Amino acid sequence: VKHVYAEHLVLQFDVSNTLDDQVLDNVSVKVDVGDAEQYQLESEVPIGRLERDGVTYVGMRRDAAVFESVAVPTILKFIVKDVDPSTGEADEHGYEDEYQLEDLEINVADFMVKWTPPDFDGLWAELAAAEIVDTFVLPFKTITLAVQNVTAFLGLKPINKTEQVAAEKKNHQLTLTGMFMGDKKVAVQAFFVAKDKVIM
């Protein structure tokens, strides 16, 4: 779970121990922000002892002006201690172990909140001075896949059911809105055309 703040990002990792005959001590997730210069690790809250379920946190300071998508490696680290089935007591000494997790992706959708304006046309006119227009060739075979992926990537709310694409349709308009960092209004009109690839 990602908790986004103006100058910080707090990562919450929910961890479960599925083994009855072991407990895990000093459970933490190591996040490698080496290539992601907009993030600096600041704090870590490990789980002291994990018998069943627990939560560990990683706190990072972030450059408030940079919103590039990044994927950072993560590793779950812990100390394994065997539990005596007759007494239920854990061994005093254990051994260190680790588990490679999937890369953690941080992208633009993490900084968006879905929002429905009372009047899309009025919002579009309000934001006209900040308009940006661009064309993209997307790596999807159908407009339906393109609409699903663009919507998920941007983290915005589809307006007037424009996320629904009629079967076999060769063109489509998607309308999205949201709030960037909680207070900056965002409106998107995306026009899709299916040729050899999907053009947006």
Side-chain angles (χ1 to χ4, degrees), residues 170-189:
K170 295 297 181 190
N171 57 61
H172 183 74
Q173 179 179 342
L174 172 67
T175 305
L176 304 167
T177 58
M179 290 278 192
F180 182 70
M181 289 302 295
D183 64 352
K184 296 168 187 68
K185 297 174 184 174
V186 178
V188 172
Q189 289 190 72

Side-chain angles (χ1 to χ4, degrees), residues 19-179:
L19 301 174
D20 293 328
D21 59 350
Q22 292 180 337
V23 296
L24 307 178
D25 282 356
N26 198 26
V27 180
S28 63
V29 176
K30 303 301 179 193
V31 179
D32 181 3
V33 294
D35 292 334
E37 295 178 3
Q38 66 267 43
Y39 295 98
Q40 292 86 42
L41 293 175
E42 277 202 342
S43 59
E44 185 180 281
V45 180
I47 303 168
R49 169 151 293 184
L50 182 66
E51 294 180 355
R52 249 328 132 211
D53 300 310
V55 180
T56 179
Y57 298 91
V58 175
M60 301 189 296
R61 178 172 290 279
R62 62 176 206 83
D63 183 338
V66 180
F67 297 95
E68 293 176 7
S69 295
V70 296
V72 294
T74 56
I75 298 174
L76 180 68
K77 294 194 161 229
F78 47 91
I79 297 171
V80 179
K81 293 185 177 179
D82 292 326
V83 174
D84 185 328
S86 60
T87 65
E89 294 293 318
D91 287 348
E92 185 178 337
H93 302 289
Y95 59 92
E96 291 185 8
D97 203 352
E98 63 183 46
Y99 182 79
Q100 182 75 47
L101 303 174
E102 294 179 12
D103 284 358
L104 173 72
E105 294 187 9
I106 305 168
N107 57 46
V108 69
D110 296 318
F111 303 99
M112 293 288 188
V113 175
K114 293 177 171 78
W115 168 69
T116 304
D119 172 26
F120 179 82
D121 292 335
L123 175 64
W124 190 260
E126 176 188 335
L127 300 177
E131 183 177 24
I132 297 172
V133 179
D134 210 337
T135 302
F136 302 91
V137 177
L138 303 177
F140 307 110
K141 295 186 184 217
T142 67
I143 290 177
T144 299
L145 281 173
V147 165
Q148 290 170 351
N149 280 276
V150 168
T151 301
F153 178 76
L154 294 177
L156 297 170
K157 181 172 180 58
I159 301 299
N160 299 326
K161 299 184 180 178
T162 57
E163 76 279 15
Q164 298 174 4
V165 181
E168 306 299 321
K169 199 168 178 190
K170 295 297 181 190
N171 57 61
H172 183 74
Q173 179 179 342
L174 172 67
T175 305
L176 304 167
T177 58
M179 290 278 192

